[in-house]
Amino acid sequence: MAVPSEKLVSRPIEIQADTTGYEDLLTPEALAFLARLHRFAEPRRRQLLEARRQRQACYDAGVLPDFRPDTQDIRQGDWTVAPIPTALQDRRVEITGPVERKMIINALNSGAKVFMADFEDSSAPSFANQLDGQLNLRDAVDGTLEYRAPEGKHYRVGANPAVLVIRPRGWHLPERHITVYGEPIAGALVDFGLFAFHNARKLHARERGPYFYLPKLEAMEEAALWNEVMALAEDELDLPYGCMKATVLIETLPAVFQMHEILHALRERVVGLNCGRWDYIFSYLKTFRGHRDRLLPDRGQVLMTVPFLKAYSELLIQTCHRRGAFAMGGMAAQIPIKNDEEANEQAMAKVRADKLREVQAGHDGTWVAHPALVAVAMEIFDRHMPTPNQLHVKRDDVQADRDTLIAPCGGTITRAGFDNNVEVALRYTAAWLEGLGCVPIHNLMEDAATAEIARSQLWQWLHHGSLEFTDHAPIDFALFDHALATHAHRLQGSTLPGARRAADAARLLAELTHDDELGNFLTLPAYEQLA
Ligand SMILES: CC(=O)SCCNC(=O)CCNC(=O)[C@H](O)C(C)(C)COP(=O)(O)OP(=O)(O)OC[C@H]1O[C@@H](n2cnc3c(N)ncnc32)[C@H](O)[C@@H]1OP(=O)(O)O
Ligand SMILES: O=CC(=O)O
Ligand SMILES: [Mg+2]
């Protein structure tokens, strides 16, 4: 793509990896564009990450999250977000998935309204994964995406594909293979920047983008930085201000107290908020890592109907609809079960119940993890949402105060729940280290967010001391070490994803779990070991 050259000043940007095959992607102009984004955003990104650390230190000292006094006027003010583009007016079912070639084609052809191409929770961000993903998406935008499977099946994108929305990495993850003046550039800027540079003008010309999902924000200032990065990119690419549209995942506990503020910071380009339930549960665990009175029970008991999650999703709907933005639902973890009709029907019933709860609560759309779930979710939304969205459902009845949003969650810790957490954390981390960002384990979709829940729960249960299972047996490190060794041995001797990296994953999880402090993100230390 030709970009006005006077706007692009060459920067000393370096790539610490083999770039063979990526020459068309990593052109001097594209790299100069990334360098410009980096120089603009990096100082603020670092401040924002520091602000996260300070906030967490307050929570560790006993402070409870709450609405901000300094932004009351934004919450009380009468304003709405900019009009939503036609291509995004009806998002009742969105499929998500990794940016792998065949899966992109399957997702675009799935019948879903939107495909969220994921550089984040379902991607292990090796240089090759992220760059191959960019090439695949560029081909998708150009209409040339095809794939021939080793067994001969030919894949190509059919008529009426889903609308493409890109999810870049969160602000916290570096891309160590690209440096500017020796500093690694943020992974978020690489994923966003390369996609925008190569595709934004083409999508804008067709009124089909560029659209983005923004993950793991914790504060309105982080949203404001995204707004400015997008404005800069629009300017560099000669695109009109506000044409890059964003949907923000509300998937951290601090962010639920700033939903109006986040919408406001992005009001000229935001289309909606999304209930990223898995990271949200992880964030509840992390925020309250020092609060013994807010331990969570087995993950299987932390359902969307428990008070703190119900309040979160309903407040999100009320907030969005008051501002004219969409309130997207989230992901049920169940995926189709092959060769067991009864178990499959039970899994599908759980997905149906989850989607029914969402549409009846007022959500404008939902997520599915697998093409076979598109029809399941579509049927529920079609039946209960005859209009393209339900912005008219205001939910003025919702009263989600601070205490409900952080309410403790009753339930039990079972041996099976403990063992499942060890297995999921280990198998997922091992697969991730091999380059796979999403894997099925015991017929559930497991990705970075669900693995974070598994390993954080283990840390919490072990470090708060003198906790017991339902049978009164103590929860202790000896049990954890034994379970980890057993699962690592089993994985190593299997043909499952992760078998080759089982020992590395076990070492990493042992360190993280024994550490006195609950680590910020599993994927940060794991990234150091990603091939
Ligand atoms: C917490 C969050 O962030 S949620 C968002 C991030 N997570 C996700 O996006 C989950 C994405 N889902 C997946 O990656 C997969 O569905 C998995 C790993 C859970 C299961 O994958 P598999 O075991 O390969 O499923 P399965 O064998 O049933 O797949 C059947 C077909 O559907 C395809 N498929 C499965 N999931 C997807 C998907 N999400 N998008 C596109 N195609 C898919 C497979 O590639 C396969 O295609 P083929 O028949 O042409 O070979
Ligand atoms: O990104 C989605 C989530 O649930 O986490
Ligand atoms: Mg997430």
Side-chain angles (χ1 to χ4, degrees), residues 26-66:
L26 302 171
T27 60
E29 292 79 11
L31 292 176
F33 179 72
L34 292 187
R36 177 99 177 82
L37 296 182
H38 170 82
R39 285 165 60 81
F40 174 78
E42 184 61 10
R44 290 255 297 286
R45 184 183 80 96
R46 284 177 184 239
Q47 283 167 8
L48 293 168
L49 294 180
E50 178 52 29
R52 285 186 185 179
R53 273 188 286 278
Q54 288 175 11
R55 250 192 320 272
Q56 183 61 47
C58 292
Y59 303 143
D60 290 344
V63 172
L64 297 174
D66 205 343

Side-chain angles (χ1 to χ4, degrees), residues 84-97:
I84 293 169
T86 310
L88 290 177
Q89 281 290 333
D90 185 339
R91 318 171 54 164
R92 63 189 60 220
V93 179
E94 302 190 336
I95 187 167
T96 69

Side-chain angles (χ1 to χ4, degrees), residues 95-98 102-103 106-107 118 121-122 153 155 167 278 331 335 338 367 369-371 438-440 445 447 449:
I95 187 167
T96 69
K102 181 183 79 172
M103 290 180 90
N106 281 338
D118 192 14
D121 281 338
S122 68
K153 185 171 171 191
Y155 293 75
R167 179 163 75 169
W278 302 110
M331 183 71 88
I335 48 175
K338 296 161 194 158
W367 274 12
H370 189 287
C438 193
V439 283
M445 174 230 53
D447 71 1

